[in-house]
């Protein structure tokens, strides 16, 4: 028999949360008291974390009769939600960060695509920065290519002096 439930829970540490269980009491979603939501996880790290054992964990679908496609919008402002402030030149308007589970038994950065604001204030002129993880130290993301606000592709020149 299929049983669904919404449980209001206090765990052993007296943390309150709401759990949703789907058919046959299989855990589905958790709403934590701190405002974090986990789909497929009981301990979300961000405001929304989606975890699953499929090769696709998130899908954005839009059905429309016009030529517009589905959108995933990442918005950025300085300040707070109640008092947002304009961005500054050089700010990131958001990024897609790709991480891989490594032999260190943790997720580590592998690459990213990041929006970089190239002008200030009146318009949101920006470019895209493509970052990679080098195979030699230091192991921090480095810019490998940029598509600037004018549509130009820029590739950093690395000089190795011996």
């Amino acid at each position: 028999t299929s049983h669904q439930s919404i449980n209001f829970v206090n765990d052993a540490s007296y943390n309150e949360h709401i759990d949703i269980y789907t058919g046959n009491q299989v855990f589905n979603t958790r709403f934590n008291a701190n405002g974090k939501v986990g789909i497929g996880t009981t301990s979300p790290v961000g405001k929304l974390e989606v975890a699953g054992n499929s090769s696709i964990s998130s899908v954005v679908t839009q059905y429309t009769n016009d030529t517009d496609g589905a959108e995933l919008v990442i918005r950025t402002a300085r300040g707070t939600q109640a008092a947002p402030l304009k961005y500054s030149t050089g700010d990131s308007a958001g990024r897609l960060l790709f991480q891989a589970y490594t032999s260190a038994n943790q997720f580590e950065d592998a690459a990213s695509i990041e929006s970089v604001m190239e002008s200030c204030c009146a318009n949101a002129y920006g470019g895209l920065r493509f970052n990679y993880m080098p195979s030699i130290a230091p192991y921090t993301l480095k810019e490998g290519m940029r598509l600037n606000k004018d549509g130009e592709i820029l590739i950093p020149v690395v000089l190795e002096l011996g």
Side-chain angles (χ1 to χ4, degrees):
T1 304
S2 179
H3 296 90
Q4 299 86 30
S5 65
I6 298 175
N7 301 333
F8 297 84
V9 181
N10 282 327
D11 64 20
S13 301
Y14 301 102
N15 295 312
E16 296 178 338
H17 53 267
I18 301 170
D19 288 343
I20 297 176
Y21 288 82
T22 56
N24 294 322
Q25 288 297 301
V26 174
F27 173 79
N28 180 280
T29 305
R30 171 165 289 176
F31 297 86
N32 283 340
N34 61 9
K36 295 179 180 177
V37 177
I39 299 174
T41 178
T42 59
S43 53
V45 176
K47 284 289 190 182
L48 172 63
E49 181 173 345
V50 180
N53 290 322
S54 100
S55 60
I56 299 177
S57 59
S58 300
V59 176
V60 176
T61 304
Q62 175 185 358
Y63 299 96
T64 181
N65 290 323
D66 58 31
T67 59
D68 292 339
E71 293 181 347
L72 174 62
V73 178
I74 300 173
R75 291 181 169 174
T76 298
R78 289 181 170 238
T80 65
Q81 185 175 2
L85 302 171
K86 63 181 173 63
Y87 66 88
S88 295
T89 301
D91 282 359
S92 172
R95 72 177 176 160
L96 296 174
L97 177 62
F98 303 92
Q99 296 183 324
Y101 198 76
T102 68
S103 58
N105 295 323
Q106 62 188 22
F107 285 98
E108 295 185 19
D109 296 351
S112 69
I113 302 171
E114 182 175 16
S115 170
V116 179
M117 304 317 303
E118 295 182 354
S119 68
C120 182
C121 312
N123 295 295
Y125 297 125
L128 291 175
R129 180 167 46 208
F130 296 84
N131 302 308
Y132 68 97
M133 181 63 68
S135 58
I136 57 173
Y139 301 110
T140 57
L141 291 176
K142 296 182 75 169
E143 183 174 351
M145 183 175 72
R146 183 181 294 209
L147 176 63
N148 72 12
K149 66 179 175 55
D150 298 317
E152 300 166 330
I153 295 175
L154 307 172
I155 299 175
V157 175
V158 178
L159 297 176
E160 297 205 18
L161 303 175

